Amino acid sequence: MGRGMKAEIDARLPRGIPLATPSRSRLVVIGNGMAGMRTVEELLKLAPDLYDITVFGAEPYGNYNRIMLSPVLAGEKSVDDIILNSRSWYEENGIRLHAGDPVVAIDRTRRIVRSRNGVEAGYDRLLIATGSKPFLIPVPGHTLPGVIAFRDIQDVETMLDAARSHRHAVVIGGGLLGLEAANGLMRQGMSVTVVHVTDSLMDRQLDRSASALLQQALERKGLRFLLKANTAEIVGPDRVTAVRFDDGTEVPADLVVMTAGVRPNIDLAKQAGLHCERAIVVDDTLQTYDPRIYAVGECVQHRTATFGLVAPIWDQARVCGAHLAGAGHRRYVQRATATKLKVTGVELYSAGDFIGGPDSEDLVLRDPRRGVYKRLVIEDNRVIGAVLYGDVKEGAWYFDLIQSRTDISSLRSHLLFGKTLCETQAA
């Protein structure tokens, strides 16, 4: 190739993107979110020059921290503040990024993926990190304008736009995401009602006592709640105007945000013939039934479990990155997880089996004046679960006790007062 021809080709390439080299294997990543890019970061630490890497993402951005969408909605942060990997990061690491162009087909025989815009990329290894998609309750009216999920930057922009010109919002789902959406919309000036199908908020993370304290605190801030409420219909001729429940009652709504859960996004994998159950089935190395294809994050199923919290997904990224790098000694092992949450300024922590059973007993501390509630679930002289509200600083210590199955017989009378007092008494 003449010098002039090579200069012309180089000029057409994005800066920082090398020409594909025959000596490098080709890695294609489907999904430009937190799980996929964390795996790429782990791979680059171990083998920065092993692959030519191509990434396809559905959204027209670099990788961003989806967990921080709530502060963007509340006006505490901007979109720029939550970007994890800027465009320049991809260029600096020689990664081709096709943002806003999702993959629509995987040809496993030819080892090629094809994007919505018709871009084809061949692979030697493929990483699927398609995450999950929000579940919109299929009641009449759920496709009306003004009915959205809370999943990405576009959803946040839609909510902010609605808050500028509308008054009434209804959030369906009283879990963490729903409460964060409700708080953000209230901060933007909307009148917000949270609708939840059970009789207690955040019932997957909190016991009833902590849930009641949380509800009282949020009501004082101005949120309204309808519990044990089943949505029957979303009403409106051209745009949502109200939400109707199965008892016939209605609440006005110019905006409805559904946060009623997510489903693993596995349509692409199923079309490609990969083995899927609830999600894409992977082994301890995060490899699918096709040895050239790996998967990580909310789209995977490992030993019957699926995942939504960051901690296990970071573990998956570390293991998968090592195997892609050829350092294949690591295995993914599911570990007990703790949930530390900050819902609209209220600190919460839960870990382990906080419900308990017929052979368990509770140690409970209530301090209404300080707004503190602690409950430890004990079985066979071991802590098996914990719920903390208002004062969570001992959460990590209680979690260690749960994981290590420590005999707490000698600590029992001081256990609720924390690690320092227990150690002082034991000395």
Side-chain angles (χ1 to χ4, degrees), residues 283-354:
D283 65 14
D284 293 349
T285 70
L286 284 305
Q287 194 178 74
T288 70
Y289 276 51
D290 182 331
R292 290 185 179 272
I293 302 178
Y294 292 77
V296 292
E298 293 182 338
C299 64
V300 309
Q301 176 179 321
H302 175 261
R303 297 177 184 256
T304 74
T306 55
F307 307 89
L309 297 174
V310 166
I313 291 173
W314 275 189
D315 288 343
Q316 291 173 14
R318 196 157 43 246
V319 172
C320 187
H323 282 274
L324 287 170
H329 60 283
R330 295 178 179 170
R331 294 289 182 269
Y332 174 62
V333 178
Q334 291 178 35
R335 297 185 293 176
T337 55
T339 309
K340 185 177 182 181
L341 310 166
K342 194 164 187 176
V343 182
T344 65
V346 179
E347 300 234 49
L348 306 162
Y349 187 98
S350 66
D353 176 10
F354 59 82

